[in-house]
Structures are given as C-alpha cells and as structure tokens.
Amino acid sequence: MSMTMLLHVTIPAVLGRLLPVLLVPCLLALPAWAADKPSAGPAEKDLDPGVRMSLQLMKGPYFKASPEEYLSGGIGASIVGNHRYAVKLLTMAIDSGGLNMEQLAQAYLNRGMARMHINQHRLAVEDLTKALESMPDKYDTYFQLGNALRALGAFTEAIIAYNRALELKPGYAPAYYMRGSVWLIKGDNRLAVNDFSEAIRMRPKMDDAFYLRSQAYEALGEWDKALADLKSFHLLNPLDDSVEISIARLRTRMAEPKASPAGR
C-alpha cells in the first residue's frame, strides 16, 4: 500500500478515536449561558441588602422575598425618605397575604405615613383606617390619621382622631400640639392656647408650640404673653433671624392703641 493511501485510511480512523477525547473538555468548559439550566446565583449571604431586595423585586430565580422582608424593606425606605419606594414595598407586603394582624396594621400605618409625604392624603386616610381595623387601640395610628385629616381640611374629624390618641396615650405632647394647631386654624384661640400649654408642659423645649401659642395670644389681645412666647422661641432658636422681626413687629403693635381681640 502506498504512503498516500495509508494516510487516507489511518488519519480518519485516528481522528475518529480522538474527537470524543478532544471534545469532552470543550463541552465541560461551555459558558453558563450555553447550558440547559441557569448557573447558580451568588450566595444570599454575600449580597448587599440593597442588591438582594432588587433581585427580589425582579422576581428572578435567586430569591423569593417573604412578606416580612417587604415590610421591613418598606419601613427602611420610608425612614431614609424614599417614600414612593416605601409605598411599593409595603403594597407588596400587604398584597402577599402573609402578614399577621399586627404586621398588617404596621404595614398600613407606614404606607399611610409614606403617602402623606407624597401628598396622597386621601389614600393615607384609607390606609390608616385599615390599620385601625386590624389594631384598633394604637394611639400613634390615630395621631397620624389626625394629621392626614388635617391636611385634607377635615378639621372636626382631625380633632376627633387627636382626642382618641390622647385617650389612649394621655400626655402625648405631639397630639396636643397638632390639635392646638387645628384650633388655631379654626380661630378657637383659647382652646389653642390650652393645647399648646399642655404640649409645652410635657415637652418644655417644643419650640414650635411657643411660636404658635404666641400667635394665639396675639389673636386674643394678650400682647405680653405673646411677646414672652416669641422670646422663648428665640432662646430655643438663636440663629433664626426672622424671630427678631416678629418680636419687633409685635412691639410696634403693642405701642399702638389696642384693637379688640381678633379671636375667641
């Protein structure tokens, strides 16, 4: 047999035996995207919490978020001021159907508060009402409900909510302060003074209570008390130059002939 014929016979035979050996390592080295199954994702413990939540929201093959994780993520987003994202996460927690009654009330409360920050006050009222359906004796939920109703101009309903908050937590200074602000808006200046005074008694450094009480005193024609409150506010806010303007304006008014009180 000639050399040429020998090569034609032996080379295909040799390649036939070698190809499986050569191809196996290549097949084993195929990239993950060419495999039938997706490659395993990174370990959960190795992921940044923000990346983990993003993967959960994409509903990818990596993780399935629990209702509690959506709840805690929503509360965390609200704390750092990302209120729209908080609404999204808390909605997912609520819609999951996996929260107990206390967690559900917490989710509705925090979603309602987040919605107030993005001026969705009517939706906030709905959320806070649902929170009270789940947990009816939460003073902080009544307080936030009062705030949402106040923002909508529903002053009578807001006062009722603040009243309930104070029944559940007597001496709660923020509720006295906010109820006082509603009385002030309504022109019930004596009631406003009473509430601001109670807030100050509970929290002597509540500077805004001094400022608003000064407005109520001024409306009642009690100039000296109004001036004293402005000075107290200034002591708590020494860098606020606008207070000096308010004090000067009030002193000018005090020097004029007294007008009849503007409020009740």
Side-chain angles (χ1 to χ4, degrees):
M1 183 181 295
S2 68
M3 181 61 69
T4 302
M5 292 180 64
L6 181 62
L7 289 174
H8 279 295
V9 172
T10 58
I11 289 176
V14 172
L15 287 176
R17 290 193 297 271
L18 288 177
L19 276 175
V21 178
L22 294 171
L23 286 175
V24 167
C26 295
L27 289 171
L28 292 176
L30 283 175
W33 52 262
D36 291 334
K37 296 181 180 180
S39 61
E44 178 179 349
K45 64 182 178 61
D46 296 330
L47 285 179
D48 177 86
V51 175
R52 171 179 164 75
M53 183 57 71
S54 296
L55 290 172
Q56 292 168 348
L57 286 175
M58 289 189 294
K59 299 184 182 297
Y62 299 98
F63 307 104
K64 182 178 180 180
S66 68
E68 291 80 8
E69 286 175 315
Y70 285 129
L71 175 59
S72 61
I75 293 172
S78 187
I79 289 172
V80 300
N82 196 345
H83 301 296
R84 293 188 184 277
Y85 191 49
V87 168
K88 180 175 183 178
L89 292 178
L90 292 166
T91 299
M92 296 178 80
I94 292 167
D95 292 347
S96 71
L99 300 177
N100 61 39
M101 293 297 284
E102 184 174 358
Q103 291 170 333
L104 190 62
Q106 190 178 19
Y108 276 121
L109 168 61
N110 282 276
R111 190 173 72 173
M113 292 168 61
R115 280 177 161 164
M116 280 193 282
H117 281 286
I118 56 178
N119 297 318
Q120 296 179 350
H121 295 105
R122 293 191 184 280
L123 291 174
V125 168
E126 293 178 10
D127 275 349
L128 295 165
T129 302
K130 289 177 180 177
L132 289 169
E133 291 173 1
S134 299
M135 298 291 288
D137 294 326
K138 293 290 186 179
Y139 76 91
D140 50 344
T141 307
Y142 277 105
F143 174 70
Q144 295 298 339
L145 178 60
N147 293 341
L149 290 166
R150 177 185 181 276
L152 289 171
F155 299 129
T156 300
E157 293 82 356
I159 288 171
I160 292 171
Y162 292 135
N163 290 347
R164 183 60 178 147
L166 287 167
E167 289 174 7
L168 293 169
K169 190 175 178 64
Y172 185 49
Y176 279 114
Y177 171 79
M178 292 304 298
R179 191 175 68 178
S181 73
V182 175
W183 292 129
L184 187 63
I185 293 170
K186 288 170 60 66
D188 293 317
N189 296 296
R190 183 60 63 191
L191 292 174
V193 165
N194 294 341
D195 273 352
F196 292 137
S197 297
E198 195 63 23
I200 291 168
R201 187 176 73 84
M202 297 296 171
R203 292 190 185 178
K205 293 186 178 181
M206 185 177 277
D207 52 352
D208 288 338
F210 283 106
Y211 189 83
L212 292 186
R213 190 174 68 174
S214 76
Q215 294 183 1
Y217 276 135
E218 185 176 354
L220 290 167
E222 299 180 21
W223 316 113
D224 292 336
K225 292 179 179 178
L227 182 60
D229 273 353
L230 282 177
K231 290 180 178 179
S232 296
F233 179 83
H234 197 200
L235 285 174
L236 294 169
N237 297 273
L239 300 180
D240 190 344
D241 296 334
S242 65
V243 187
E244 295 181 0
I245 298 173
S246 297
I247 290 173
R249 178 194 58 77
L250 183 57
R251 281 177 171 160
T252 300
R253 188 174 183 188
M254 291 171 68
E256 297 172 352
K258 286 190 176 181
S260 58
R264 292 168 280 178

